[in-house]
Amino acid sequence: MRHTHATLLLEDRETERYVAERLGDTVEMAHETYGHVTPEMRVAAVKRLASRLAEPTVGDRSVTDSDSAAVGDEPGT
């Protein structure tokens, strides 16, 4: 139950520090014992990476009036 508890917390993206505190372990102990990657964690990590790679970077898009307004410029000035 302890291992399942720690693994589920990590799958929910809780930090190793939080998991260690809950279990009364050191962060190193929690990392070594429970810090393995489950299939769900692997899939979530790949999805997050794919999402970031799909986002345009500043140099890949043109500046629009709404972009200018967001930094304090008035459109049409």
Side-chain angles (χ1 to χ4, degrees):
M1 299 230 1
R2 179 182 174 89
H3 189 83
T4 299
H5 177 78
T7 302
L8 291 174
L9 287 172
L10 291 170
E11 282 184 352
D12 286 341
R13 299 176 71 183
E14 294 294 343
T15 64
E16 289 178 346
R17 174 182 221 109
Y18 175 74
V19 173
E21 288 174 2
R22 296 260 315 163
L23 300 175
D25 288 339
T26 64
V27 175
E28 293 78 18
M29 176 86 143
H31 175 75
E32 289 177 20
T33 307
Y34 311 107
H36 63 279
V37 180
T38 66
E40 291 83 8
M41 293 167 77
R42 276 189 235 124
V43 169
V46 170
K47 285 181 179 179
R48 286 191 306 273
L49 177 60
S51 175
R52 292 193 71 179
L53 292 175
E55 293 175 4
T57 61
V58 174
D60 292 342
R61 62 186 179 96
S62 62
V63 176
T64 64
D65 286 340
S66 62
D67 291 332
S68 296
V71 293
D73 294 337
E74 300 272 337
T77 58

